[in-house]
Amino acid sequence: RHVCMPGSHDAGMSKIDGHTLLGGIPEHVLTQSQDIAHQLASGSRYFDVRPVIAAGHYKTGHYSKMGNTLKGQGANGQSIAEIVDQINAFTATNAELVVVLLSHDFNTDDGYRGLTQNEYEGLLKELCGIKDLYVAPDPVNVDLSELTLHDFIGTGQAAVVCIVQSTIALGDYNHKGFYRYNQHNVYNNYSETRDLDLMIKDQLKKLTQQRSSPDNSLFLLSWTLTEDATSIILEGSSILDFARKTDPALFNGQLTSLCSKRTYPNIIYVDDFRSEVTALAMHINAWLAS
């Protein structure tokens, strides 16, 4: 809880690998310009991975509502197998802590519903290919936010933690490096606006409300803008265009002037992840968290 780490929003969406009839426009589904391998190399350590089943395979996806249904707007990104390989390639030579959040699961082959128990177990089985999954002492009851970095990586070996936001039963997977969301409970409340100033005010207000002490629960600073009909139809803007506006605003002084040894974010969460976000997290850790 005393550490700040850089994070990637919708981390698998750096490419399009299949899409719906109306939802495959890159401007509206791509959230990252680099794949997870390059995000890791640039310093990201918290990954929002959104698993889907598409054409019988586990992939990542970015799907949005169209009316009362999800069908019609969205696309698939990196495959889960590709992400497993990229994490393993990184942790083979970097003894780092990596957190993977699994959320927003859909079966795009069957009405865009959530994954069933069996389908989710198939996903977890594939993710067991990650070589450095971290199994905590008493993994069913542990609060991961109360462990130290030394607990995770003090032996010189990387640690990968997978957080499952679904309500499916983990069963034996709880002893293989998979944990429920409440075991790494993060306050994550995005602003849902395309207005940069409104987003900044909203997120900084939430930061001061939720993190009056470094011992408070984990806080995710959602430094992202959300597309709406105006931005899509009239302006032709993209998610990556929004990121080019929001990411520089991290460094205009509004965030750092608000932060203190008692108040700072645990996760800085952005689209189009860049190493500058890593530098900011390192600054917070060096001058405030420590």
Side-chain angles (χ1 to χ4, degrees):
R1 298 184 183 194
H2 300 169
V3 171
C4 179
M5 63 195 307
S8 301
H9 172 240
D10 220 332
M13 292 305 302
S14 59
K15 69 177 184 180
I16 295 177
D17 182 14
H19 58 84
T20 56
L21 181 63
L22 301 177
I25 302 172
E27 289 81 0
H28 309 325
V29 294
L30 295 181
T31 55
Q32 302 292 336
S33 58
Q34 302 182 101
D35 62 12
I36 283 180
H38 287 86
Q39 292 171 47
L40 280 162
S42 296
S44 187
R45 296 294 180 265
Y46 184 93
F47 295 91
D48 168 32
V49 171
R50 304 186 175 192
V52 301
I53 293 177
H57 298 282
Y58 290 103
K59 301 180 181 181
T60 55
H62 186 184
Y63 289 88
S64 302
K65 288 184 179 180
M66 178 172 283
N68 294 320
T69 179
L70 283 160
K71 189 173 183 179
Q73 186 177 341
N76 309 316
Q78 286 188 265
S79 70
I80 296 300
E82 183 181 6
I83 290 172
V84 168
D85 289 343
Q86 291 184 350
I87 290 175
N88 285 339
F90 178 79
T91 57
T93 55
N94 298 276
E96 297 274 351
L97 169 63
V98 177
V99 180
V100 176
L101 171 67
L102 302 170
S103 66
H104 298 77
D105 55 280
F106 295 112
N107 186 327
T108 71
D109 295 341
D110 187 14
Y112 297 80
R113 57 166 173 78
L115 301 185
T116 65
Q117 178 74 34
N118 286 340
E119 290 167 347
Y120 215 105
E121 288 179 4
L123 168 67
L124 299 185
K125 183 177 180 180
E126 193 160 320
L127 286 166
C128 278
I130 297 173
K131 295 179 180 179
D132 292 295
L133 288 170
Y134 175 77
V135 181
D138 192 13
V140 176
N141 300 305
V142 66
D143 181 345
L144 295 166
S145 73
E146 293 185 344
L147 301 183
T148 67
L149 277 177
H150 187 272
D151 293 327
F152 289 109
I153 57 176
T155 62
Q157 181 175 340
V160 182
V161 173
C162 289
I163 310 299
V164 177
Q165 198 160 23
S166 169
T167 58
I168 62 106
L170 288 180
D172 290 342
Y173 287 102
N174 217 153
H175 297 269
K176 295 180 179 180
F178 298 90
Y179 303 88
R180 296 212 163 279
Y181 192 82
N182 63 7
Q183 293 182 272
H184 189 257
N185 194 21
V186 178
Y187 180 90
N188 177 2
N189 193 326
Y190 72 111
S191 303
E192 199 170 1
T193 180
R194 60 189 287 273
D195 186 289
L196 178 61
D197 290 335
L198 288 179
M199 182 276 288
I200 293 173
K201 291 177 182 177
D202 175 73
Q203 288 298 303
L204 296 186
K205 179 180 179 182
K206 288 169 180 172
L207 173 60
T208 56
Q209 290 174 339
Q210 299 296 321
R211 286 280 294 179
S212 59
S213 164
D215 292 320
N216 290 148
S217 297
L218 297 168
F219 180 87
L220 181 148
L221 185 77
S222 187
W223 208 258
T224 60
L225 297 179
T226 304
E227 286 189 311
D228 59 13
T230 300
S231 57
I232 292 173
I233 298 171
L234 298 181
E235 298 177 0
S237 61
S238 71
I239 296 171
L240 295 178
D241 287 334
F242 279 162
R244 295 181 188 107
K245 291 168 55 180
T246 57
D247 290 2
L250 279 167
F251 307 96
N252 66 9
Q254 293 184 74
L255 172 61
T256 52
S257 64
L258 179 71
C259 290
S260 69
K261 289 187 178 293
R262 300 187 63 81
T263 300
Y264 51 86
N266 299 106
I267 299 158
I268 303 175
Y269 189 61
V270 299
D271 291 317
D272 198 17
F273 188 89
R274 300 289 178 175
S275 59
E276 290 85 352
V277 182
T278 305
L280 177 59
M282 291 171 68
H283 170 77
I284 289 173
N285 285 328
W287 297 102
L288 299 176
S290 63

